[in-house]
Amino acid sequence: MSDNLTLPTQQGSTDTPSAETLLQVEGLTKHFPIYGGFPIKRKVGAVQAVDGVDLTVGVGESVGLVGESGCGKSTTGRLITRLLEPTGGKITYAGQDITHASRRQIAPVRSEIQMIFQDPYSSLNPRQTVGTIIKSPMEVNGIDPPGGREKKVRELLELVGLNPEHYNRFPHEFSGGQRQRIGVARALSLNPKLIVADEPVSALDVSIQAQVVNLLQKVQEEMGIAFLFIAHDLAVVRHFSQRLAVMYLGKIVEVGDRDSLYNRPRHPYTHALLSAVPEVEIEGEGPARERIRLSGDVPSPIHPPSGCRFRTRCWKAQDKCATEEPPLVQLSGNRAGHLTACHFPEDPTTEARDEDVILDPALKALENDAEGGPVDKK
Ligand SMILES: Nc1ncnc2c1ncn2[C@@H]1O[C@H](COP(=O)(O)OP(=O)(O)OP(=O)(O)O)[C@@H](O)[C@H]1O
Ligand code: SF4
Ligand SMILES: [Mg+2]
């Protein structure tokens, strides 16, 4: 990796949300309308993909956004990068309200917010050379770096661990991991201050996931670039993100600094997510976590449950959970900035609970087949 590329370095990384705020999201909402009826189509409902999300990302900070498939992570990322128009809420970037900014209004900050996509196969144009792919954001934004665009592209290729001589090659000549490095180089070409990385390693072999995460971590730390790192489990973000937000069915259910969330999770869903990460064992934390698996399907975001959206899968649900939506608040005893949305939170511990909660019936059936018997607590 090149060390000779000079890019602005900021010392903004912090463990707390009190750092200088780069991005602030308040009550962010995206409802996709559903149309039906014949012969005249009209709106018959809405997919409540994102429903009142509050989130901040500090300058140079890395925040992880975690949750199961379909909970609204990508939609949140696309709203923040303004690839989608929000239904409601507010997005403030560097003190500027960009919620509904037009293309022209947003142009000055648009280059500062970049996105890295999940699929390195479909996100690169197969007919363009790597040089053209990485260069095009500079062309679109009329940016002429010192020494020219080609020089900058070669520097970026070196920076992400690729051979600068491969400037004229096409995406199909690269492996998945290398393609994702090309995506990283493209995102870096405009010296961004915020990168939304949407499951950037999920499509890669496990063996190369760590390499790409390490590259992103180097980028984040050395260049002071803030990250919103989207992942569906906590394993990937646990080394990368200083703060974590857990999302369920369009809402943030728990947010806090990494240590507080890992060592003192309060929301039952966070407990379940943590227990689904077999290798999560924090040094000096005693025995391995019990495994909890969420039973039942994620409810439809078209008709989310009343009150707490997690209640249909929660082992602690009571009547109140169906009638009152739990606010996202700091529970007593929790560190500043550690917020939880639950009426009956778990104890702030990672110790095993008595009962075993099976969260995935399909997985249970598979394990039963494999083991020839019921699933035991690990
Ligand atoms: N353009 C769209 N029109 C209608 N519904 C949509 C659209 N995009 C997403 N959705 C729905 O919004 C919900 C959230 O989708 P989203 O892609 O944000 O989830 P995700 O958390 O990124 O999931 P995954 O982990 O599978 O990527 C899903 O129910 C999805 O079907
Ligand atoms: S509010 Fe109720 S249903 Fe929701 S997570 Fe807490 S205990 Fe479970
Ligand atoms: Mg997604």
Side-chain angles (χ1 to χ4, degrees):
M1 193 174 295
S2 161
D3 289 321
N4 55 19
L5 188 75
T6 43
L7 282 150
T9 304
Q10 295 152 350
Q11 296 301 321
S13 298
T14 173
D15 281 338
T16 67
S18 58
E20 192 188 335
T21 302
L22 182 65
L23 175 80
Q24 182 159 23
V25 169
E26 296 160 274
L28 190 63
T29 304
K30 180 67 185 178
H31 291 181
F32 293 105
I34 303 166
Y35 295 99
F38 183 82
I40 300 163
K41 280 205 177 348
R42 60 193 173 82
K43 189 179 162 199
V44 293
V47 181
Q48 300 176 28
V50 175
D51 205 26
V53 160
D54 295 338
L55 198 66
T56 57
V57 182
V59 172
E61 186 186 29
S62 170
V63 176
L65 182 63
V66 179
E68 281 168 291
S69 184
C71 72
K73 305 178 298 293
S74 295
T75 305
T76 303
R78 286 170 176 273
L79 290 167
I80 289 167
T81 49
R82 292 302 322 279
L83 295 170
L84 281 174
E85 187 67 16
T87 312
K90 188 175 175 189
I91 306 169
T92 310
Y93 175 80
Q96 188 183 340
D97 183 349
I98 61 163
T99 320
H100 301 291
S102 66
R103 282 182 84 90
R104 184 179 295 182
Q105 287 168 328
I106 208 174
V109 295
R110 188 67 196 80
S111 62
E112 294 183 9
I113 310 174
Q114 293 295 315
M115 193 149 178
I116 299 173
F117 296 93
Q118 174 173 355
D119 185 356
Y121 295 91
S122 65
S123 58
L124 304 178
N125 185 336
R127 282 180 291 278
Q128 290 183 340
T129 64
V130 166
T132 306
I133 289 169
I134 299 172
K135 199 166 55 179
S136 65
M138 289 187 265
E139 286 170 353
V140 169
N141 288 277
I143 288 171
D144 288 304
R149 290 174 187 154
E150 184 170 334
K151 178 168 176 274
K152 172 89 179 205
V153 172
R154 289 180 191 274
E155 287 173 346
L156 286 167
L157 281 170
E158 205 177 341
L159 181 90
V160 300
L162 294 173
N163 186 343
E165 300 307 315
H166 294 168
Y167 183 91
N168 284 316
R169 294 200 177 178
F170 288 89
H172 73 262
E173 297 176 69
F174 295 87
S175 69
Q178 289 172 326
R179 286 183 207 208
Q180 204 55 312
R181 289 172 191 269
I182 296 167
V184 175
R186 176 175 58 182
L188 293 175
S189 66
L190 296 176
N191 293 342
K193 294 205 171 87
L194 172 68
I195 291 180
V196 175
D198 188 1
E199 305 212 31
V201 299
S202 300
L204 306 178
D205 283 353
V206 173
S207 56
I208 46 172
Q209 285 188 354
Q211 295 171 12
V212 175
V213 171
N214 287 343
L215 167 67
L216 293 172
Q217 190 149 24
K218 189 176 163 78
V219 162
Q220 191 250 330
E221 287 171 357
E222 294 185 3
M223 297 181 190
I225 298 173
F227 267 78
L228 182 66
F229 194 107
I230 296 171
H232 59 260
D233 67 49
L234 285 154
V236 173
V237 291
R238 82 176 207 264
H239 295 300
F240 190 83
S241 296
Q242 298 133 7
R243 248 175 355 107
L244 299 170
V246 177
M247 197 167 178
Y248 187 79
L249 215 57
K251 291 186 183 289
I252 304 284
V253 297
E254 187 154 33
V255 60
D257 71 73
R258 172 180 45 201
D259 294 342
S260 192
L261 214 88
Y262 270 103
N263 298 330
R264 297 165 65 86
R266 304 301 301 275
H267 198 284
Y269 183 58
T270 311
H271 271 260
L273 278 185
L274 280 169
S275 70
V277 183
E279 74 270 46
V280 167
E281 222 180 301
I282 290 145
E283 272 176 47
E285 275 294 304
R289 289 160 199 259
E290 163 205 31
R291 292 184 71 182
I292 307 166
R293 300 215 186 104
L294 290 168
S295 60
D297 296 327
V298 182
S300 162
I302 302 170
H303 300 292
S306 62
C308 173
R309 292 188 173 188
F310 186 57
R311 71 178 165 81
T312 55
R313 302 167 85 198
C314 182
W315 51 92
K316 302 191 83 182
Q318 299 182 32
D319 291 349
K320 186 181 183 186
C321 305
T323 53
E324 271 182 49
E325 186 179 334
L328 188 63
V329 292
Q330 188 179 326
L331 301 171
S332 65
N334 275 8
R335 279 195 216 167
H338 182 164
L339 313 179
T340 310
C342 178
H343 295 306
F344 308 102
E346 295 276 1
D347 289 336
T349 170
T350 55
E351 272 173 32
R353 291 174 304 104
D354 287 340
E355 70 271 46
D356 187 15
V357 183
I358 306 294
L359 295 190
D360 186 338
L363 203 56
K364 184 184 175 191
L366 274 176
E367 289 198 0
N368 279 346
D369 277 356
E371 292 169 11
V375 185
D376 279 335
K377 200 161 47 167
K378 273 214 171 168

